[in-house]
Amino acid sequence: MKTVNLEEKLGCFSSHWDPHVIADYNENDVMVVKFLGEYPFHKHETTDDFFLVLEGEIEIDIEGEPSRTVRAGELFVVPRGVVHRPRAAKEAKVLLIEPKGEPNSGNSDRKPSPKPRI
């Protein structure tokens, strides 16, 4: 058991759309990631997608619905099977929770990130 400093962990990398595992929660990876630009539309068939914005602001585009703005201190959960795309006009820092082994790219053509542990 140990305390995890989110700011310290986010300072360990500068890449975007590259989640880094910082803790384990049951059978889930707790990760930090930096968003800038847009990620491809995708969906996760077997799990919801959890976003907690730590710093900045993101947009979640949802197929057939208005985009959702998620600001620092807010979280948003995309239900399993819903096609979505996160994006950020300026760099945003985000905490994600996903089941271990779940590719962050969902069903998109984008290669999944390796999710290194820091």
Side-chain angles (χ1 to χ4, degrees), residues 1-2 6 13-16 29 32 34-37 39 41 51 60 70 73 83 86 92 97 99 103 107-108 111:
M1 293 183 294
K2 64 180 180 176
L6 298 177
F13 63 96
S14 59
S15 57
H16 298 105
D29 288 324
V32 289
K34 296 176 182 177
F35 289 3
L36 182 62
Y39 202 78
F41 275 102
F51 301 89
I60 304 285
V70 188
V83 176
I97 301 174
N107 70 338
S108 74
K111 184 179 175 183

Side-chain angles (χ1 to χ4, degrees), residues 8-10 16 29 31 36 48-49 58 60-61 69-70 83 85 87 91 101 114:
E8 177 184 300
K9 296 297 185 182
L10 283 158
H16 298 105
D29 288 324
M31 299 168 286
L36 182 62
D48 300 336
D49 217 353
I58 68 172
I60 304 285
D61 298 326
T69 301
V70 188
V83 176
R85 171 181 65 186
R87 58 186 168 90
E91 185 177 79

Side-chain angles (χ1 to χ4, degrees), residues 4 7-8 11-13 15 25 28 31 34 46 53 60-62 68 70 73 87-88 91 95-96 99 106-107 118:
V4 177
E7 187 174 333
E8 177 184 300
C12 292
F13 63 96
S15 57
Y25 176 73
N28 299 290
M31 299 168 286
K34 296 176 182 177
T46 60
V53 179
I60 304 285
D61 298 326
I62 299 174
R68 307 308 205 285
V70 188
R87 58 186 168 90
E91 185 177 79
L95 185 134
L96 306 173
N107 70 338
I118 55 174

Side-chain angles (χ1 to χ4, degrees), residues 1-117:
M1 293 183 294
K2 64 180 180 176
T3 301
V4 177
N5 184 298
L6 298 177
E7 187 174 333
E8 177 184 300
K9 296 297 185 182
L10 283 158
C12 292
F13 63 96
S14 59
S15 57
H16 298 105
W17 307 110
D18 185 21
H20 288 70
V21 177
I22 58 168
D24 302 299
Y25 176 73
N26 294 323
E27 297 302 315
N28 299 290
D29 288 324
V30 179
M31 299 168 286
V32 289
V33 63
K34 296 176 182 177
F35 289 3
L36 182 62
E38 63 183 41
Y39 202 78
F41 275 102
H42 66 283
K43 66 180 174 179
H44 301 271
E45 290 291 348
T46 60
T47 186
D48 300 336
D49 217 353
F50 176 98
F51 301 89
L52 171 61
V53 179
L54 303 170
E55 184 178 312
E57 177 178 296
I58 68 172
E59 296 287 327
I60 304 285
D61 298 326
I62 299 174
E63 190 173 70
E65 294 188 20
S67 296
R68 307 308 205 285
T69 301
V70 188
R71 295 176 179 84
E74 297 178 336
L75 70 85
F76 190 79
V77 177
V78 177
R80 69 189 72 197
V82 173
V83 176
H84 63 285
R85 171 181 65 186
R87 58 186 168 90
K90 296 180 182 178
E91 185 177 79
K93 297 173 182 175
V94 180
L95 185 134
L96 306 173
I97 301 174
E98 291 180 343
K100 292 182 180 304
E102 179 69 24
N104 66 313
S105 55
N107 70 338
S108 74
D109 292 336
R110 184 177 176 129
K111 184 179 175 183
S113 296
K115 298 183 185 178
R117 182 173 294 274

